[in-house]
Amino acid sequence: THARSCSSTPTPCIPPETRAMAGQTACFRVQGMVPAFRPRVGGGKVRTSFGTSRVHQVTTRTATLVPATGSGDSKTAFNLEDVATPFIANKNSLNEGIASFYDESSGLWEDQWGEHMHHGYYPRGADRADHQKAQVDMIDLSLKWAGVSDTTRIRNMVDVGCGIGGSSRHISRKFGCVASGVTLSPIQAARATALSREAFLDKNDSLRKELSFQVADALDQPFENNSFDLVWSMESGEHMPDKAKFVNELTRVCAPGGRVLIVTWCHRNLVDRETELPAAERFLLDRICDAYYLPQWCSINDYQALFEKEGLVNVKTADWSEEVKPFWKAVVSVALTVNGILGLLKAGPATVRGGLVMPLMQKGLRDGTIKFNLITGEKP
């Protein structure tokens, strides 16, 4: 076990050389852990069903603006999550906000939920007690749905938005492939490396291939064209401010004959005569964006159009919203325990704010505003 501090202060398990890299791009390798610096930049806008995205109030300390009922004006109102906002340092960019949020919160998530930082799969929306197994099932069933069978040959895969490397290690074990991961969080990259190194050195662990994790921008990946048989993005697409550039980069690094697979949060598809979501739905999503450092959302139809524009073939989509609803119920239940509350407070104010909007994710999924979608396509 590892002593974990969930604050943004460097933790004991982070090597001193890694602490000095904060704010820079570093490449970590399981074998040798030799850092190589590659400065990256982010930013950009994307046109979605909403129009042009904004960088939300996550970079400020102002109260959330609530649309005034019956008019296009807005009024200032106080929401529950605003109690934490004055204690959160201003951020200069969306990427900085994302990195700091995961630097602060990843240790708490690992302590409570393990190495997989994503939803679990709950067949037909039924409750199950084995939540970590549900998270592994989400990986395996997503691959199976995408047509990646146990006999599919995968030599190299990239985990875009890798967290602490859970998907990378699982897929590497499953297919015996080399895995690379990118994240904006230096603490996540270092922790992913440490966990992978432990597994690599464990004679009882089947993980034997080289894994590498580095701090890099998913919209400007440090990889050559046509590098990976599998391009994997598990719940990172919602953080991308330029969805077109995101899909373009995933396609660029995918090898011919390889597969791109995105599992992500979306808003519902617009219906006839809708040009945008109603104000109440936009407001719900904006509050979630402010807490989790997200740009505006898009629909799965938007993603499908981008896949087809990039020339990907055999594109298909799925909606697993019902299959993830019980996960948020479980997450909220854990957060409301004594250890959960203490963990949130210890982690820091941004994590507290994230915890306070978890019921909004439940509401969005329940009402149909939020969709948990999958999309995959092959590069010819």
Side-chain angles (χ1 to χ4, degrees):
T1 59
H2 290 262
R4 301 289 293 165
S5 168
C6 301
S7 71
S8 57
T9 303
T11 63
C13 66
I14 306 301
E17 61 270 25
T18 302
R19 299 175 199 171
M21 296 175 193
Q24 304 180 64
T25 298
C27 172
F28 304 89
R29 293 197 176 275
V30 173
Q31 298 174 340
M33 290 189 64
V34 179
F37 298 99
R38 298 187 182 95
R40 293 284 158 198
V41 296
K45 294 184 178 181
V46 60
R47 219 165 251 290
T48 70
S49 306
F50 292 151
T52 303
S53 73
R54 66 184 177 90
V55 174
H56 293 263
Q57 292 103 310
V58 293
T59 59
T60 73
R61 297 184 179 182
T62 59
T64 306
L65 294 177
V66 184
T69 305
S71 75
D73 298 328
S74 57
K75 61 183 179 180
T76 300
F78 187 81
N79 300 299
L80 180 60
E81 64 272 17
D82 291 331
V83 300
T85 301
F87 303 99
I88 301 172
N90 290 342
K91 304 300 183 296
N92 294 319
S93 69
L94 180 62
N95 277 8
E96 182 184 340
I98 294 167
S100 67
F101 177 75
Y102 286 110
D103 280 352
E104 179 182 293
S105 64
S106 293
L108 175 62
W109 182 273
E110 183 186 353
D111 286 344
Q112 295 184 342
W113 293 96
E115 64 177 336
H116 297 292
M117 306 185 73
H118 56 77
H119 286 75
Y121 184 90
Y122 299 77
R124 296 174 298 281
D127 288 333
R128 57 188 291 187
D130 53 342
H131 301 297
Q132 292 189 17
K133 178 60 167 60
Q135 292 172 299
V136 174
D137 288 348
M138 175 61 73
I139 299 173
D140 288 336
L141 292 172
S142 296
L143 291 168
K144 181 179 180 180
W145 169 84
V148 181
S149 70
D150 292 346
T151 59
T152 301
R153 186 183 180 192
I154 299 177
R155 294 161 297 183
N156 293 279
M157 66 87 67
V158 63
D159 188 352
V160 181
C162 63
I164 58 175
S167 290
S168 297
R169 286 185 293 276
H170 182 77
I171 293 172
S172 181
R173 291 186 183 103
K174 189 179 183 74
F175 296 98
C177 64
V178 175
S180 302
V182 295
T183 173
L184 290 173
S185 165
I187 286 181
Q188 283 191 338
R191 185 63 179 151
T193 298
L195 290 171
S196 300
R197 186 178 182 83
E198 289 174 14
F200 185 80
L201 295 175
D202 184 350
K203 289 182 169 44
N204 295 318
D205 196 304
S206 61
L207 186 65
R208 288 292 177 266
K209 292 289 185 178
E210 182 184 71
L211 280 75
S212 64
F213 302 94
Q214 57 186 292
V215 179
D217 189 341
L219 303 186
D220 187 13
Q221 296 177 37
F223 306 117
E224 300 294 329
N225 296 347
N226 308 319
S227 293
F228 303 103
D229 304 307
L230 175 64
V231 178
W232 169 270
S233 170
M234 173 61 75
E235 297 187 44
S236 64
E238 51 269 22
H239 284 297
M240 307 301 166
D242 188 334
K243 299 297 192 291
K245 177 61 175 172
F246 176 50
V247 174
N248 174 263
E249 273 291 273
L250 300 184
T251 305
R252 179 185 69 80
V253 301
C254 185
R259 178 172 296 280
V260 176
L261 173 56
I262 299 175
V263 183
T264 190
W265 312 352
C266 292
H267 69 65
R268 65 171 176 81
N269 287 323
L270 300 181
V271 298
D272 290 345
R273 293 185 295 279
E274 276 189 325
T275 58
E276 63 178 5
L277 294 175
E281 290 183 280
R282 296 200 309 272
F283 175 56
L284 173 80
L285 297 182
D286 280 351
R287 290 175 66 187
I288 295 170
C289 287
D290 291 347
Y292 293 143
Y293 294 90
L294 308 178
Q296 278 194 336
W297 303 44
C298 71
S299 70
I300 195 61
N301 281 354
D302 296 327
Y303 266 119
Q304 183 166 350
L306 293 173
F307 268 52
E308 292 170 352
K309 181 180 178 181
E310 290 296 331
L312 297 174
V313 298
N314 298 324
V315 176
K316 65 175 184 174
T317 66
D319 179 357
W320 286 4
S321 302
E322 284 298 319
E323 284 71 22
V324 302
K325 286 179 181 178
F327 188 69
W328 282 101
K329 176 183 176 182
V331 171
V332 171
S333 296
V334 170
L336 292 176
T337 64
V338 172
N339 286 339
I341 293 170
L342 292 176
L344 287 168
L345 294 172
K346 180 182 177 183
T351 308
V352 171
R353 183 172 65 178
L356 291 173
V357 301
M358 288 191 297
L360 299 183
M361 287 293 300
Q362 289 181 291
K363 175 176 172 52
L365 284 165
R366 182 175 63 249
D367 295 347
T369 300
I370 295 173
K371 296 293 183 180
F372 188 87
N373 288 126
L374 297 80
I375 183 167
T376 189
E378 300 171 29
K379 184 173 178 177

